Amino acid sequence: MSLVEISDLRVEFRLDTGTVTAVDGVSFAVDEGETLAVVGESGSGKTATALSLLRLNPEPPCVYAAGEVRLDGRDVLRLSEKDLRRIRGNDVAMVFQDPMTSLNPVKRVGAQVAEVVRRHQGASRSEAARAAVSALSEAGIPDAEGRAAQYPHQLSGGLRQRVMIAMALVGRPRVLIADEPTTALDVTVQAQILELLVDLQRRHGMAVVLITHDLGVVAEVADRVVVMRSGRVVETGDVLPVFEAPQEEYTRELLRATPKLERV
C-alpha cells in the first residue's frame, strides 16, 4: 500500500454562478520517500488536488463530490476536524507559493515557527523557541537565532521561503506538499531552494508532492510525474520515459515550451 492514494477524486466549487469542476476523476499514488511532480498549466487542477491532501480547499464553496484521499489507509475526506488538525503539520505539511502572504507580517519569524511546534507537539515556550531556531538553521538560514527575531519584511524572498520550509518540516511530516515553491524567486535562489528540498527529503525520508508548471524543475528533482489538464490526469509515469517519449500531445506541448530539460 502506498503512503498516499488518491482515487477518482472529484472536487467541485459550487458558486452562485454555477458549479465549477476543478478536479475530475483524478487518481495517483505516492510512496514513502518518493518525489512526485504534478504539472500542468494554470487552472489545470493541480493545486486543488494537492490541497485535498490536507482538506484545505475552502468548504463551502468547495465540495468533495466523489473519490477518496487516503493517507496511510485513512480517508482524509472522511476525517473529523479534530483528526484533521492532528495530521496537518504532523503527517502532512505544505510549503505555499508566496511566503510573503503566508507569513504573519507583524510576528517575528521565530515565533511563527515556534507556534507550530507548540500547537503540534505540546512543547513549552522555551522548548518551542529552541526547536524553531534549530529548524531555521536546518533550512539553511545563517545566524538562525538572529534571524528568528526578525519580521518577514526584513528578510529576502529566499530567506522567507526557507522560513516556510522550516515551519513545514519542524513537525517531521511524512509527506511534504510544495506548491510552486520557487516561482517568486530569482534563478539562483530557485536552485538553492530546490537543492535544500532534495537534501531535506533524502535526510528525513519523506515523500514530496511537488506542484509546478516548470518541467525543468521536474527533470531535476522528481521520480515520477503526473500531467494534468482541465482537472484530469492526461499522462503519468516515471519522469525520464515520459519526457523522452510522451504519449500525449499536451505533454509534448509542455515539453516544447520548456527551454532545458536536463538532470544535473
Side-chain angles (χ1 to χ4, degrees), residues 23 134 141 170 190 260:
V23 181
S134 177
I141 295 179
V170 73
Q190 284 183 18
K260 184 178 180 181

Side-chain angles (χ1 to χ4, degrees), residues 95-150:
V95 177
F96 294 93
Q97 181 176 152
D98 185 357
M100 199 58 193
T101 58
S102 301
L103 292 169
N104 187 330
V106 298
K107 288 190 70 172
R108 300 177 196 274
V109 295
Q112 296 187 57
V113 180
E115 183 179 350
V116 175
V117 178
R118 296 191 70 198
R119 184 188 308 137
H120 293 294
Q121 300 176 22
S124 68
R125 287 185 180 275
S126 59
E127 290 171 338
R130 287 193 295 270
V133 171
S134 177
L136 292 170
S137 179
E138 187 179 27
I141 295 179
D143 184 22
E145 189 168 358
R147 294 292 189 179
Q150 294 185 313

Side-chain angles (χ1 to χ4, degrees), residues 163-261:
V163 171
M164 291 298 300
I165 291 170
M167 291 177 68
L169 297 186
V170 73
R172 294 290 181 260
R174 300 175 67 192
V175 183
L176 176 69
I177 304 168
D179 186 7
E180 301 277 11
T182 63
T183 294
L185 307 175
D186 66 46
V187 174
T188 302
V189 179
Q190 284 183 18
Q192 293 171 354
I193 294 297
L194 286 174
E195 184 179 349
L196 172 65
L197 287 173
V198 170
D199 177 62
L200 292 171
Q201 190 254 3
R202 290 171 179 166
R203 194 182 308 170
H204 299 299
M206 61 189 171
V208 174
V209 179
L210 175 65
I211 312 301
T212 185
H213 65 277
D214 188 339
L215 297 192
V217 168
V218 176
E220 290 182 20
V221 304
D223 301 304
R224 289 190 302 118
V225 60
V226 170
V227 182
M228 291 187 64
R229 184 182 193 184
S230 301
R232 296 185 175 95
V233 174
V234 297
E235 189 160 2
T236 185
D238 291 343
V239 168
L240 289 182
V242 169
F243 282 8
E244 289 174 355
Q247 300 300 303
E248 297 294 326
E249 177 59 28
Y250 179 66
T251 308
R252 290 192 284 270
E253 290 175 4
L254 290 177
L255 288 166
R256 284 194 291 267
T258 303
K260 184 178 180 181
L261 291 170

